[in-house]
Amino acid sequence: MGLIAREVESRGIPTLSMSSAYSITAAVNPPRAVYLDYPLGHTAGKPNDHENQRSIMRDTLRAFEDIDSPGAIRTLEYEWSSDHSWKDSVMRPDKSGASSDARVERYATPQYQDSDDETLVEEGCPTCVFLEN
Amino acid sequence: MREFIDYIERTREQYDTLGYPTYQWVHNEDAPPFAPLRKPLSESTVALVASGGIYRSGQIAFHYKDDISFRIIDSATPTDELRVTHFAYDLTDARIDPNVVFPIDTLKAMVQEGRIGQLAERAYTFMGGIYSARKVRDRLAPALADRLIENEVDVALMVPV
């Protein structure tokens, strides 16, 4: 996403990138970023916790307006839980040796959330844009 | 002691364990481009761009092998028509509430609060974890930038996973 932010910004549109992976964001070096110390898959907050999501967004928008130094990453002051033990198992084998990797096989066919979705696809899907590989 | 997870380091450890070749992360040492805000966010049209694999019911889902396609999602789409698919993260919470990776309702609340002017009519989504940085740089990034310019948005909020 950082590469896209850099391209969009270079074309004159200011961007702010949210992130839950500090080292990756720092390496790609987008124009402006906020960092939220939450597990991957929660870049914009906790599920169904509207106050949490809105508070994070208010802080994010404030950073969007404040950051005046290219490449700055502002850490947002939120914690996923009072202890940080969730971090121990991320991408690491558990005690039984089983991998905690959430990745799945790289199927080359569309992977629908609901099996019904496949039958509901609109003719030609005008809002799906496929680029030449 | 609070310590951030270093996903680059953990990926390296994991790939080593699995016997995969080391993944080459993008490192940009040069300063990023920087376009100052032209007006306050309270008067700006904000576009949402998200890479968590979000699509709308009625659209073709992403596939997991080098998918560089994107979806155009009308900002008025009811949240219960949003779907999420991705090979690289735990989708449980995103399927309960897509706002955790696609904060569309949150941004609508910011419009209500007067914090941003308005939400752009169209949001753009794709599936991150594209292995080839070259394809992102040469194909996807310019295509998305073209759309945002065409849509005359003032600023873009980028939400990766």
Side-chain angles (χ1 to χ4, degrees):
Chain A
M1 186 61 102
L3 292 174
I4 294 164
R6 288 171 70 105
E7 171 72 14
V8 170
E9 189 101 14
S10 75
R11 306 270 295 270
I13 298 176
T15 65
L16 180 130
S17 304
M18 300 180 83
S19 167
S20 289
Y22 196 95
S23 60
I24 297 174
T25 299
V28 185
N29 199 7
R32 299 172 198 76
V34 293
Y35 172 72
L36 180 65
D37 193 16
Y38 277 8
L40 293 188
H42 308 88
T43 325
K46 297 183 172 182
N48 291 330
D49 187 340
H50 300 140
E51 198 35 59
N52 167 267
Q53 295 172 3
R54 289 170 192 179
S55 177
I56 288 167
M57 188 59 72
R58 287 182 203 109
D59 291 349
T60 297
L61 295 171
R62 197 169 303 121
F64 205 152
E65 289 176 321
D66 289 351
I67 291 175
D68 54 9
S69 150
I73 305 174
R74 178 177 295 181
T75 298
L76 302 181
E77 294 304 319
Y78 295 83
E79 295 192 335
W80 179 254
S81 54
S82 52
D83 83 80
H84 289 232
S85 59
W86 63 269
K87 296 177 181 176
D88 299 341
S89 61
V90 172
M91 296 176 74
R92 284 180 172 156
D94 64 18
K95 289 192 184 83
S96 70
S99 172
S100 65
D101 188 2
R103 296 177 190 223
V104 296
E105 202 181 318
R106 299 270 196 125
Y107 305 102
T109 52
Q111 299 298 305
Y112 291 93
Q113 174 176 329
D114 300 335
S115 47
D116 280 359
D117 289 348
E118 189 162 6
T119 62
L120 296 172
V121 170
E122 295 149 7
E123 182 70 30
C125 191
T127 53
C128 302
V129 182
F130 295 93
L131 305 171
E132 208 177 306
N133 234 297
Chain B
M1 173 60 196
R2 179 174 178 173
E3 204 181 319
F4 302 155
I5 293 180
D6 184 345
Y7 286 97
I8 292 180
E9 186 51 36
R10 291 209 188 180
T11 303
R12 186 177 296 135
E13 288 170 14
Q14 189 178 48
Y15 277 33
D16 282 353
T17 308
L18 295 168
Y20 294 170
T22 307
Y23 182 74
Q24 297 298 320
W25 294 91
V26 172
H27 282 268
N28 288 310
E29 305 293 345
D30 58 322
F34 199 79
L37 296 183
R38 283 178 297 252
K39 50 186 168 181
L41 290 178
S42 60
E43 297 168 20
S44 296
T45 300
V46 180
L48 175 59
V49 180
S51 69
I54 301 99
Y55 67 98
R56 170 180 56 74
S57 171
Q59 291 180 323
I60 298 167
F62 296 96
H63 61 76
Y64 292 179
K65 197 175 168 59
D66 299 323
D67 192 338
I68 60 163
S69 67
F70 64 89
R71 305 288 175 270
I72 304 165
I73 298 188
D74 192 308
S75 295
T77 304
T79 310
D80 64 7
E81 292 181 16
L82 297 174
R83 305 284 184 269
V84 187
T85 192
H86 202 298
F87 67 93
Y89 73 96
D90 183 343
L91 299 168
T92 310
D93 286 344
R95 287 180 171 177
I96 292 168
D97 178 7
N99 281 286
V100 300
V101 290
F102 186 69
I104 191 87
D105 296 319
T106 318
L107 285 170
K108 286 176 186 170
M110 294 301 111
V111 176
Q112 289 295 315
E113 290 182 12
R115 193 63 191 78
I116 59 175
Q118 57 179 339
L119 194 51
E121 264 177 59
R122 299 179 191 88
Y124 295 92
T125 59
F126 61 101
M127 195 190 67
I130 298 165
Y131 198 78
S132 166
R134 182 184 56 79
K135 286 180 188 170
V136 176
R137 201 181 279 118
D138 296 351
R139 300 265 186 276
L140 183 55
L144 289 171
D146 286 347
R147 297 282 174 150
L148 295 175
I149 288 166
E150 189 184 306
N151 295 163
E152 299 182 325
V153 309
D154 294 311
V155 301
L157 180 69
M158 323 298 283
V159 186
V161 167

